[in-house]
């Protein structure tokens, strides 16, 4: 009895201490990793679970400790017990895998090598939403590093259950599943194709009108990561009926939602004149001009670039931007923004508007843009990229 109590007390104390950064070095020096490892196979579930939680917190803290988890053969043990343990343990074990995988591609690869992906995909089919959430999160952390790792996650069957998770009622599960799908789709057209083939767009697109800000962020991001690869994908995103609804998100209370919505619109607009025209017809230019007027800093960039992409395709599209008073906010960005790449984007977009004809050029000149361009060009602090 005493022995039992002491073990529980030990492992809970370590888990508590590991949640505070100032104690972690001391725990590491005390060789706590080696002490926790046998407890992962303890016959008392609460001890197993606390041991996994403590390891997850340690691995989360630094890359060095994550390496210690890998070299201590702890991953194999976790993966082995993911198959048959209770839901609380599964959640903690998935947390350890996520904590290791997040640091670098090498560590994520070690997680893949330990056959963790198969076990995590199995957890996506659990009944308990918090287990699914923990597993989806870990899979996203593995996939986000590079195309090879994302391919591993896709090959082992993660995409279809992640799309099912997007349809679950729990908001936090929807968010994490959308984020993980985005982490897979972003790397290549082939991976995006796999996400599209699992009918992800059908289930993601309606969620842009959800009331939860964090969910809207992830959904806009995921749709942008799909649409960016090709005209076909962009058209599929449009068929999800995101226009004109997504324009209301440019005025959302949440800054990240606004930026991700603008990015999604940009990734559709850039492909061809038809898609750009579609955005104009849906009333998108006015909404984008307001967005560029109202934002500052990096969040402004997707709006600035979208106006440039739309204007680049034809005289009439550029005229739509002029008529919607798109030139003055671009001039403001050129003059007032502090970062060179945003100024450069504004200069590029103004060039796309003005280049079509003498009338277009005059419309740009009438907004007093030329002196601003000259100031930037003559400024020693401007980068070569901006000057050209």
């Amino acid at each position: 009895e005493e022995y039992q109590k002491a073990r529980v007390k030990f492992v809970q104390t370590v888990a508590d201490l590991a949640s505070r950064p100032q104690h972690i070095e001391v725990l590491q020096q005390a060789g706590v990793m080696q002490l926790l490892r046998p407890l992962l196979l303890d016959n008392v579930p609460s001890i197993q679970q606390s041991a996994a939680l403590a390891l997850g917190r340690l691995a989360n803290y630094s890359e060095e400790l994550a390496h210690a988890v890998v070299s201590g053969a702890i991953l194999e043990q976790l993966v082995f017990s993911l198959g048959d343990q209770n839901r609380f343990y599964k959640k903690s074990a998935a947390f350890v895998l996520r904590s290791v995988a997040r640091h670098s591609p090498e560590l994520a690869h070690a997680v893949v090598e330990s056959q963790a992906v198969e076990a995590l995909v199995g957890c996506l089919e659990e009944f308990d939403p918090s287990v699914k959430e923990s597993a989806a999160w870990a899979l996203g952390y593995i996939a986000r590093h590079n195309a090879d790792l994302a391919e591993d996650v896709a090959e082992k069957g993660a995409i279809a259950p992640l799309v099912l998770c997007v349809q679950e009622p729990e908001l936090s599960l929807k968010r994490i599943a959308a984020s993980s799908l985005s982490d897979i789709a972003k790397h290549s057209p082939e991976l995006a194709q796999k996400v599209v083939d699992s009918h992800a767009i059908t289930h993601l697109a309606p969620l842009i009108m959800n009331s939860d800000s964090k969910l809207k962020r992830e959904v806009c991001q995921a749709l942008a990561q799909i649409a960016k690869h090709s005209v076909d994908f962009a058209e599929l995103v449009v068929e999800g009926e995101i226009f004109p609804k997504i324009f209301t998100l440019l005025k959302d209370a949440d800054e990240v939602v606004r930026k991700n919505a603008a990015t999604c619109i940009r990734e559709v607009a850039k492909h061809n004149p038809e898609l750009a025209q579609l955005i104009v017809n849906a009333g998108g230019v006015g909404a984008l001009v307001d967005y560029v007027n109202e934002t500052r800093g990096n969040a402004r960039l997707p709006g600035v670039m979208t106006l440039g992409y739309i204007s680049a395709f034809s005289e009439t599209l550029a005229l739509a931007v002029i008529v919607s008073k798109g030139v003055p906010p671009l001039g403001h960005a050129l003059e007032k923004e502090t970062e060179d790449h945003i100024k450069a984007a504004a200069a590029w977009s103004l060039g796309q508007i003005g280049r079509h004809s003498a009338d277009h050029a005059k419309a740009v000149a009438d907004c007093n843009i030329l002196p601003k361009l000259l100031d930037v060009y003559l400024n020693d602090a401007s980068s070569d990229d901006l000057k050209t």
Side-chain angles (χ1 to χ4, degrees), residues 45-97:
S46 70
I47 291 179
Q48 280 189 320
Q49 197 191 321
S50 298
L53 184 62
L55 281 167
R57 285 175 176 165
L58 291 165
N60 204 24
Y61 174 73
S62 75
E63 195 167 330
E64 186 190 346
L65 286 165
H67 273 294
V69 171
V70 172
S71 58
I74 290 168
L75 291 181
E76 287 74 6
Q77 224 152 333
L78 283 169
V79 172
F80 170 73
S81 36
L82 261 181
D84 50 2
Q85 289 299 335
N86 68 21
R87 60 201 172 109
F88 300 110
Y89 180 78
K90 286 183 173 166
K91 197 172 151 185
S92 303
F95 169 58
V96 182
L97 296 168

Side-chain angles (χ1 to χ4, degrees), residues 27-44:
L27 287 172
Q28 189 188 1
Q29 283 154 9
V32 84
M33 290 274 187
Q34 278 58 48
L35 300 173
L36 289 169
R37 189 181 151 204
L39 297 175
L40 287 173
L41 297 175
D42 200 277
N43 51 11
V44 180

